[in-house]
Amino acid sequence: MKIIKKILSQLILLIITLLILFAIILLPKEANIERTKDGEFKKAEYIYSFDKHFEEMKGFIKYIATTPNLGMYSYDVTNAELIIQKMKKSLCVIIPALLIAFFGGIAKGIFDYWTKDKKRRLIGKGSTWLFLSVPDLFVIISIQLTIMALHEWGLTPHISVYGYDSIDIYIICSIFLLIYPLFYVANVTYLSIQDEEGNDYIRTAKAKGLHSFKILYTHVLKNSIPNILSQTNTITLYVLSNLLIIEKLTDFRGTAYYFYESIGRENFYLSGQEAFSYPVSSVGFVFCFTIIIFIANTISNICKTLVTPVIKYEISL
């Protein structure tokens, strides 16, 4: 029952968020522009009209409901086809990035904690600190330049770092997307495990002669997982917000790339079709991004409910 309430609350929040985003995207874009006698720009004034805004939203809903496939994006591609096609393409890098960042980050956090008092702490906690401190844009560009330099020197085979549909680009984009989230999860894991130090159950386990590595995996990590899972929303938001930068740097041309291109883009009309000014593709891409966040949060809440210990109280009368 508790998990159902969480999912319902997330669903309500999703609907409210979508309504707010749609309202922002559909704000009237007309402005009063004043020019001098010579035709030069003097000033621009934007006056918000609620009635015009409401009519814009009502017209958009009517257009969506009555237009097959959300209308045309180009002469041979509909908006619905474009959104689905690009969403599938971006998911091919988003899902691997999220999974590797989460599970790889947990493994890295365990390694950081395990090596914190050893000489290997420089490649453990030290590397986590470094990648969290250096802007990931710098890291991404450095990796691209390194790959090109190694190929130029004949040390590596050709690896595409800029292109459209090669398998190299899919792998490169996934790696670029997971860099910061992986080290972020590693840091959260390290701090969560560190917070468990000194608890009674750890001293009891050590008194029973259990190996410290077994204590870490079977007891400490289990109690740290709920806190780590609570960061799912953060890493999902980071991956999605970083997607545009990655797609522009690599010319990947997925969802974020076309969302950026759709902003301010004039709509395509077929001969005899009624003209419209609704940002259909932009709204569609925003809807997809919001659904990804909702699914990630739902999975996180379900997993957190399953792994969180349930404390039962017995009352004696």
Side-chain angles (χ1 to χ4, degrees):
M1 181 60 71
K2 186 177 180 180
I3 185 61
I4 294 175
K5 289 182 179 179
K6 283 186 177 180
I7 294 174
L8 287 175
S9 65
Q10 289 290 331
L11 184 60
I12 293 171
L13 184 61
L14 168 71
I15 294 171
I16 294 173
T17 303
L18 283 174
L19 290 175
I20 293 173
L21 290 173
F22 292 168
I24 293 173
I25 294 174
L26 294 170
L27 278 170
K29 299 178 179 62
E30 295 179 4
N32 296 324
I33 300 176
E34 292 186 16
R35 298 184 181 275
T36 62
K37 294 180 179 179
D38 299 329
E40 295 181 359
F41 174 79
K42 183 178 180 181
K43 70 174 183 177
E45 184 181 14
Y46 177 78
I47 301 175
Y48 173 76
S49 170
F50 176 79
D51 293 335
K52 187 176 289 186
H53 193 184
F54 181 76
E55 287 298 321
E56 188 83 6
M57 296 180 67
K58 189 167 71 172
F60 176 77
I61 294 172
K62 181 181 178 181
Y63 176 83
I64 294 296
T66 57
T67 307
N69 296 316
L70 307 180
M72 301 300 295
Y73 181 82
S74 63
Y75 72 94
D76 60 346
V77 179
T78 65
N79 282 305
E81 289 172 343
L82 177 79
I83 293 168
I84 294 171
Q85 178 187 356
K86 299 307 172 184
M87 196 67 238
K88 287 180 179 178
K89 184 175 182 179
S90 290
L91 285 175
C92 290
V93 298
I94 291 173
I95 293 175
L98 285 174
L99 293 176
I100 296 173
F102 185 77
F103 293 105
I106 292 175
K108 181 66 169 61
I110 294 171
F111 178 78
D112 292 352
Y113 181 81
W114 189 252
T115 59
K116 65 175 183 175
D117 298 321
K118 301 176 183 178
K119 293 181 179 180
R120 288 176 292 177
R121 65 180 177 273
L122 288 177
I123 60 174
K125 185 61 178 172
S127 63
T128 300
W129 174 84
L130 177 65
F131 279 93
L132 288 177
S133 303
V134 177
D136 54 343
L137 182 60
F138 172 79
V139 175
I140 291 167
I141 295 175
S142 298
I143 293 174
Q144 284 183 311
L145 293 175
T146 301
I147 292 173
M148 289 187 287
L150 290 175
H151 174 66
E152 186 71 21
W153 298 335
L155 299 176
T156 60
H158 178 263
I159 300 174
S160 298
V161 295
Y162 188 84
Y164 186 49
D165 271 335
S166 66
I167 188 64
D168 298 349
I169 292 298
Y170 282 85
I171 297 172
I172 289 291
C173 287
S174 294
I175 293 173
F176 287 166
L177 279 176
L178 67 83
I179 291 174
Y180 185 89
L182 186 144
F183 290 101
Y184 177 83
V185 174
N187 188 52
V188 170
T189 303
Y190 175 86
L191 295 175
S192 298
I193 294 174
Q194 195 175 49
D195 288 342
E196 296 294 318
E197 288 182 342
N199 286 341
D200 292 337
Y201 72 90
I202 295 179
R203 289 194 291 267
T204 302
K206 287 181 178 179
K208 291 181 178 180
L210 293 177
H211 193 274
S212 56
F213 200 70
K214 186 176 182 180
I215 295 172
L216 177 62
Y217 265 97
T218 59
H219 298 287
V220 180
L221 185 60
K222 183 179 179 181
N223 290 325
S224 302
I225 284 293
N227 185 42
I228 299 170
L229 284 170
S230 65
Q231 304 300 318
T232 303
N233 188 48
T234 302
I235 64 173
T236 303
L237 288 172
Y238 189 85
V239 166
L240 293 179
S241 63
N242 214 25
L243 187 62
L244 174 61
I245 299 173
I246 305 300
E247 291 189 357
K248 293 293 285 186
L249 283 175
T250 60
D251 195 36
F252 185 70
R253 300 193 185 185
T255 307
Y257 181 95
Y258 276 90
F259 171 68
Y260 177 78
E261 292 293 320
S262 68
I263 299 174
R265 178 182 182 272
E266 293 186 2
N267 294 305
F268 180 86
Y269 311 106
L270 290 174
S271 178
Q273 184 181 11
E274 183 181 355
F276 65 96
S277 60
Y278 306 122
V280 180
S281 56
S282 299
V283 173
F285 289 130
V286 168
F287 177 79
C288 291
F289 288 137
T290 312
I291 291 297
I292 291 174
I293 296 171
F294 171 73
I295 292 173
N297 280 336
T298 301
I299 295 173
S300 173
N301 285 328
I302 293 173
C303 293
K304 195 170 11 176
T305 302
L306 294 175
V307 301
T308 302
V310 178
I311 302 175
K312 296 181 179 180
Y313 298 94
E314 293 184 1
I315 302 176
S316 301
L317 298 176

